[in-house]
């Protein structure tokens, strides 16, 4: 009996020390099973948001624990291992390292693209001279980025089209796709070239080929972490935005490129995006069910479904564009109304069309005599479209030009057409002793909307000999062929002959003291 009692005591002691190891559960032990749902509380964590739980969290990443708040001094989770629902891991700064919503999101991180979006926001401090500067979007990746298998054009072409359609001005999409290359080769051979292209936005799409070249998920994620460390050391978020795209869905078992292998790195890519302030697009999850669509969505270039064909590539590009070129961006890129009255963002009438902002701008033109070459005292309104075509109206609201007709001109890129309706003073062009005469209408000329040249006002006589040149109109205001107009004079009528070079000659005006020009109108 003593032996039995002694054995029982020893057995109880053994159970107390590590009995879970001795008890079986299906094909494992209770100890192994419990380890899979280990809580940081089981290894000394406090979970009160005050104590430093770094070691406890590191030991139990992947455990299931509810409604706890763990503060850590550092957090390393390169594989993106899932943390329990209800567990928040945060830094001293209260940054959450494991936001629960990211587990279910295929796209996140638009807030990290502040540099990129700042280039388009007209009120941003990064914009002071219009939106004429080129914004560079560099695509870095393998054959999927390059566009292998496509007939509609490489992804750069698709994104360039989407940028224009969505109203994003002066976007240059640069394709650095390297067919057949893997992420570990990117670091040594291509990464510096990506930086040398001076991207405002770098879209990274590496990882499709690494499994086929014998790399494991851990190795791929380690390479990506090294690459992003280098990129961020060279260009922090305020200097370059990054979109991190997952590998695409594939069915190529002969080369180890299959869905279940890509599944191993998805959460790791999410963690990379969080750690390096990148936006994230999970194109694998978006398109995973296309893995058997040979010849429809994907080609069969390597013995399995590898490269996206036209429609699938367009979906991939659209997913990137929805982050980088969101449709709602047109509300503040191309359709907003701005009233610049002064400051560095004001535009002048003398500037070329490409100096103006997209959308509608209004500038007040203060008297006297117009401002910066503006035809009238009042306001000019500029409507610029995404293709750089510009319509500009100048309204005479007050001062010497009040009551004049509206001036309009069309422009494109770096050239303006003639101003229609804008009055030009004729006096500087008078010669042979002819001068402006007192009149309710100043001697002036303009192009009307029908393309005709019109003159108005009265001029006082100088030399009256037939064939005397009274004035010469400038280029853009001359007739295509010689024309003769009848003009009223102080004592009847005379003839004014205007040559294709713009010279206006008087005939039959002997003894007059002035002539009126209101009847002069001809086609240019």
């Amino acid at each position: 009996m003593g032996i039995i009692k002694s054995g029982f005591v020893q057995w109880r002691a053994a159970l107390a020390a590590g009995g879970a190891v001795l008890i079986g559960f299906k094909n494992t032990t209770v100890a192994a099973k419990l380890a899979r749902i280990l809580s940081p509380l089981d290894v000394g964590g406090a979970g009160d948001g005050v104590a430093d739980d770094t070691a406890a969290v590191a030991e139990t990443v992947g455990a299931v624990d509810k409604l706890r708040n763990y503060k850590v001094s550092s957090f390393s989770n390169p594989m993106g291992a899932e943390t329990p629902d209800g567990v928040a891991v945060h830094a001293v700064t209260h940054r959450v390292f494991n936001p629960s919503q990211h587990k279910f999101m295929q796209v996140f991180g638009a807030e990290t693209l502040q540099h990129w979006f700042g280039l388009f926001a007209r009120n941003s401090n990064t914009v002071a001279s219009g939106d004429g500067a080129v914004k560079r979007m560099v695509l870095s990746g393998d054959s999927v980025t390059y566009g292998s298998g496509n007939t509609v054009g490489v992804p750069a072409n698709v994104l360039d089209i989407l940028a224009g359609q969505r109203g994003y001005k002066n976007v240059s999409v640069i394709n650095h796709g390297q067919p057949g290359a893997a992420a570990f080769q990117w670091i040594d051979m291509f990464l510096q070239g990506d930086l040398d292209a001076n991207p405002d936005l770098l879209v990274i799409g590496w990882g499709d080929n690494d499994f086929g070249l014998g790399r494991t998920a851990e190795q791929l994620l380690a390479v990506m972490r090294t690459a992003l460390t280098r990129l961020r050391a060279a260009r922090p978020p305020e200097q370059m935005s990054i979109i991190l795209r997952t590998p695409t869905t594939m069915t190529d078992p002969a080369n180890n490129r299959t869905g279940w292998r890509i599944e191993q790195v998805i959460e790791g890519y999410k963690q990379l995006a969080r750690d390096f302030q990148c936006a994230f697009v999970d194109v694998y999850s978006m398109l995973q069910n296309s893995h058997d669509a040979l010849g429809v969505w994907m080609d069969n270039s390597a013995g399995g479904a590898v490269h996206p064909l036209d429609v699938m590539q367009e979906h991939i590009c659209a997913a990137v564009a929805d982050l980088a070129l969101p449709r709602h961006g047109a509300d503040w890129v191309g359709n907003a109304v701005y009233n610049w009255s002064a400051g560095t963002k004001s535009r002048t009438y003398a500037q070329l069309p490409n100096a103006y902002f997209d959308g509608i701008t209004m500038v007040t033109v203060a008297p006297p005599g117009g401002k910066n070459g503006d035809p009238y005292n009042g306001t000019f309104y500029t409507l610029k479209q995404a293709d750089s075509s510009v319509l500009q109206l100048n309204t005479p609201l007050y001062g010497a030009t009040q009551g004049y007709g509206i001036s309009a001109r069309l422009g494109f890129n770096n050239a303006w057409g003639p101003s229609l309706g804008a009055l030009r003073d004729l006096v500087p062009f008078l010669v042979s002793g002819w001068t402006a005469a007192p009149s309710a209408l100043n001697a002036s000329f303009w192009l009307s909307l029908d393309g005709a040249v019109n003159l108005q006002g009265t001029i006082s006589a100088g030399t009256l000999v037939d064939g005397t040149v009274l004035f010469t109109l400038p280029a853009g205001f001359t007739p295509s062929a010689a024309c003769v107009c009848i003009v009223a004079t102080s004592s009847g009528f005379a003839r004014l002959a205007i040559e294709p070079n713009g010279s206006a000659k008087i005939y039959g005006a002997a003894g007059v003291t002035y002539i009126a020009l209101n009847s002069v109108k001809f086609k240019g």
Side-chain angles (χ1 to χ4, degrees):
M1 186 68 180
I3 296 175
I4 294 175
K5 182 178 181 180
S6 175
F8 178 73
V9 171
Q10 293 174 350
W11 179 69
R12 289 186 61 183
L15 287 177
V21 177
L22 305 176
I23 301 173
F25 177 79
K26 293 188 180 295
N27 294 326
T28 184
T29 65
V30 171
K33 177 65 176 178
L34 291 174
R36 297 174 193 166
I37 55 171
L38 190 65
S39 164
L41 294 176
D42 298 327
V43 292
D48 58 5
V50 178
D52 188 338
D53 293 324
T54 302
V57 169
E59 185 174 343
T60 58
V61 167
V64 176
D65 192 12
K66 303 289 185 181
L67 304 176
R68 293 291 182 172
N69 177 20
Y70 297 96
K71 183 182 77 172
V72 298
S73 56
S74 63
F75 184 74
S76 177
N77 187 17
M79 294 298 294
E82 184 173 328
T83 49
D85 294 335
V87 172
V89 180
H90 69 85
V92 176
T93 59
H94 298 285
R95 173 194 172 191
V96 176
F97 289 109
N98 63 331
S100 58
Q101 70 274 16
H102 286 181
K103 298 177 186 178
F104 313 105
M105 296 176 70
Q106 296 174 335
V107 178
F108 63 78
E111 70 277 8
T112 68
L113 304 180
Q114 67 268 34
H115 169 73
W116 174 251
F117 289 134
L119 300 176
F120 298 95
R122 222 170 264 92
N123 286 327
S124 168
N125 291 332
T126 63
V127 180
S129 58
D131 49 12
V134 173
K135 295 88 174 171
R136 295 178 178 84
M137 180 191 300
V138 174
L139 312 181
S140 179
D142 44 48
S143 55
V144 175
T145 294
Y146 179 79
S148 298
N150 299 152
T151 60
V152 295
V154 296
N157 296 342
V158 178
L159 287 166
D160 185 65
I161 292 170
L162 290 173
Q165 289 177 341
R166 298 183 180 189
Y168 290 83
K169 177 65 180 165
N170 291 328
V171 174
S172 174
V173 185
I174 304 167
N175 195 330
H176 280 190
Q178 305 293 336
F184 68 89
Q185 296 167 318
W186 170 42
I187 291 182
D188 297 329
M189 301 170 62
F190 309 118
L191 187 147
Q192 188 57 50
D194 293 341
L195 287 172
D196 291 343
N198 195 28
D200 295 298
L201 172 63
L202 181 63
V203 181
I204 298 173
W206 288 98
D208 294 292
N209 293 321
D210 288 73
F211 293 121
L213 295 174
R215 294 312 196 263
T216 65
E218 290 82 1
Q219 288 173 323
L220 171 56
L221 292 172
V223 164
M224 296 297 294
R225 184 166 293 273
T226 299
L228 285 164
T229 299
R230 282 182 54 184
L231 289 170
R232 279 300 182 222
R235 302 285 295 277
E238 60 271 19
Q239 296 178 10
M240 178 178 72
S241 298
I242 296 176
I243 293 178
L244 182 61
R245 174 180 66 74
T246 65
T248 58
T249 179
M250 294 185 181
T251 306
D252 181 24
N255 293 294
N256 293 319
R257 295 184 291 188
T258 59
W260 78 267
R261 290 187 180 276
I262 298 172
E263 295 263 358
Q264 297 176 56
V265 298
I266 297 299
E267 296 303 320
Y269 270 65
K270 289 183 179 181
Q271 191 65 51
L272 288 168
R274 291 191 289 265
D275 291 346
F276 293 95
Q277 296 188 55
C278 307
F280 172 79
V281 182
D282 183 0
V283 296
Y284 165 78
S285 297
M286 291 178 180
L287 303 167
Q288 192 274 334
N289 278 336
S290 64
H291 64 281
D292 287 327
L294 292 177
V296 180
W297 282 58
M298 306 188 74
D299 70 3
N300 191 19
S301 62
V306 176
H307 297 123
L309 295 179
D310 294 356
V311 176
M312 185 172 172
Q313 185 66 263
E314 289 167 358
H315 277 280
I316 294 172
C317 291
V320 172
D322 286 345
L323 258 179
L325 308 164
R327 290 178 177 85
H328 65 263
D331 295 338
W332 47 265
V333 171
N335 294 322
V337 178
Y338 294 89
N339 185 354
W340 308 125
S341 59
T344 60
K345 295 179 181 179
S346 293
R347 296 293 169 263
T348 67
Y349 193 82
Q351 288 180 282
L352 296 175
N354 56 15
Y356 286 84
F357 294 110
D358 287 352
I360 301 173
T361 55
M362 298 181 293
V363 176
T364 299
V365 184
K371 170 186 175 183
N372 298 317
D374 306 302
Y376 302 140
N377 298 320
T379 301
F380 70 80
Y381 309 83
T382 305
L383 171 60
K384 182 178 179 183
Q385 300 190 108
D387 64 355
S388 295
S389 60
V390 181
L391 168 64
Q392 191 170 79
L393 304 177
N394 188 193
T395 56
L397 300 179
Y398 40 74
T401 60
Q402 185 175 7
Y404 285 12
I406 293 176
S407 163
R409 64 177 178 173
L410 297 174
F412 182 76
N413 201 9
N414 60 355
W416 286 108
S419 293
L420 305 177
L423 292 179
R424 295 191 61 177
D425 190 358
L426 182 64
V427 173
F429 300 92
L430 295 174
V431 294
S432 304
W434 287 75
T435 58
S439 171
L441 292 175
N442 295 327
S444 54
F445 60 97
W446 75 96
L447 279 175
S448 55
L449 296 181
D450 59 0
V453 179
N454 301 262
L455 277 71
Q456 68 176 17
T458 304
I459 55 176
S460 295
T463 301
L464 295 172
V465 176
D466 283 354
T468 297
V469 176
L470 308 190
F471 53 85
T472 300
L473 295 170
F477 296 87
T478 60
S480 56
C483 62
V484 177
C485 301
I486 303 300
V487 294
T489 71
S490 58
S491 57
F493 296 93
R495 302 187 311 278
L496 189 67
I498 304 176
E499 304 291 336
N501 64 1
S503 62
K505 300 176 181 179
I506 191 70
Y507 294 91
V512 307
T513 58
Y514 68 83
I515 63 173
L517 302 173
N518 297 49
S519 62
V520 178
K521 180 175 182 177
F522 57 86
K523 283 285 188 177

